[in-house]
Amino acid sequence: MKLDKNQIDQLKKLISYKGYPQVDVQYEILDHVACKVEVLMEENPQLSLPDAFRKVHASFGVFGFAELEESYVKMISKRMTGYYWEELRNLFTSLRIIFPISILAILFQTSSWFQNSKSWILMLIGFVLVSFLVIAIRYWSKHKRYKHYASYMASNNVYAVINFGIITCSQSWNFVYRNNSTPDGIFPLIFKGVILLCLCMLFVSIFILPRVLERSMADTEALIQVYGE
């Protein structure tokens, strides 16, 4: 037998009740469940859809559909990581690299006006902080539309980077710029070097993260069109 739309919708609700609220995860599980449910109901026409679903769920073992969800989420995370490295490669192999280089050059040049060798760090901190805030505000407004899809929620790693960037900026200000009394020694120098390296990586990420988010949202939008949600 072939399940009709109402039965498919009922299966989606049953999957959701099992703790899988994301629409695309539901469909990923549904692909593996629907055929088995159809077979059981063909073999026993008296079997109700919920009972057939429970039997199929039990056949997946003690963890139920957790392995299917984990496999799907890993696939998405791997894709997101690929997007990041692909955009990073594109940045360094295209004329777009002119923008970060030009901004850094302007910051270095401007620091000479203040006659302070560390002023460029302060301006870099400010630029990174403001840029991340703009990115967060710009894309957070679209969160409601896509939050029910695991393909979009995987991009929360981008927001984690933004949060890390804000924390790093505050620590950079306190340790690198304000703390002139930091004792000499190898460890303070290493710590300063690590902070500056993180700042540079975050600076480069400003030109990458929006494109990664756009690609993630495009993937999710494509799923919305397919699933008709």
Side-chain angles (χ1 to χ4, degrees), residues 93-202:
T93 57
S94 68
L95 293 177
R96 289 173 49 230
I97 192 62
I98 295 174
F99 293 105
I101 291 176
S102 299
I103 292 171
L104 284 177
I106 291 171
L107 294 180
F108 274 114
Q109 182 61 35
T110 305
S111 65
S112 63
W113 299 348
F114 298 99
Q115 298 181 344
N116 186 331
S117 60
K118 290 185 178 181
S119 61
W120 71 272
I121 300 177
L122 176 61
M123 289 185 286
L124 179 61
I125 291 171
F127 182 84
V128 170
L129 185 60
V130 171
S131 297
F132 277 147
L133 288 175
V134 170
I135 292 173
I137 293 171
R138 175 184 175 187
Y139 288 99
W140 191 252
S141 62
K142 300 181 180 181
H143 179 73
K144 288 184 179 180
R145 176 170 174 79
Y146 301 122
K147 66 180 180 180
H148 299 299
Y149 285 79
S151 61
Y152 168 76
M153 295 309 292
S155 62
N156 278 347
N157 291 334
V158 171
Y159 294 107
V161 171
I162 292 173
N163 184 55
F164 172 73
I166 293 173
I167 294 173
T168 301
C169 286
S170 64
Q171 292 301 315
S172 301
W173 162 254
N174 289 325
F175 190 83
V176 178
Y177 192 79
R178 292 183 61 185
N179 193 359
N180 294 319
S181 60
T182 303
D184 293 332
I186 186 65
F187 291 110
L189 288 176
I190 291 175
F191 189 57
K192 283 186 177 181
V194 169
I195 288 179
L196 289 175
L197 179 61
C198 288
L199 266 178
C200 292
M201 292 174 62
L202 291 167

Side-chain angles (χ1 to χ4, degrees), residues 3 6-37 49-50 52-54 56-58 60 63-69 72 148 227:
L3 298 177
N6 289 334
Q7 289 174 316
I8 292 294
D9 290 339
Q10 190 176 355
L11 277 180
K12 285 172 55 184
K13 288 180 181 179
L14 291 170
I15 292 170
S16 177
Y17 294 154
K18 289 296 182 181
Y20 307 99
Q22 293 92 352
V23 175
D24 47 342
V25 172
Q26 291 174 10
Y27 274 95
E28 181 69 16
I29 295 173
L30 190 62
D31 285 343
H32 294 80
V33 169
C35 290
K36 294 184 178 182
V37 168
L49 185 68
F53 175 79
R54 280 191 286 271
V56 172
H57 182 263
F60 279 85
F63 296 109
F65 304 134
E67 290 187 4
L68 292 176
E69 180 194 33
Y72 180 68
H148 299 299
Y227 298 150

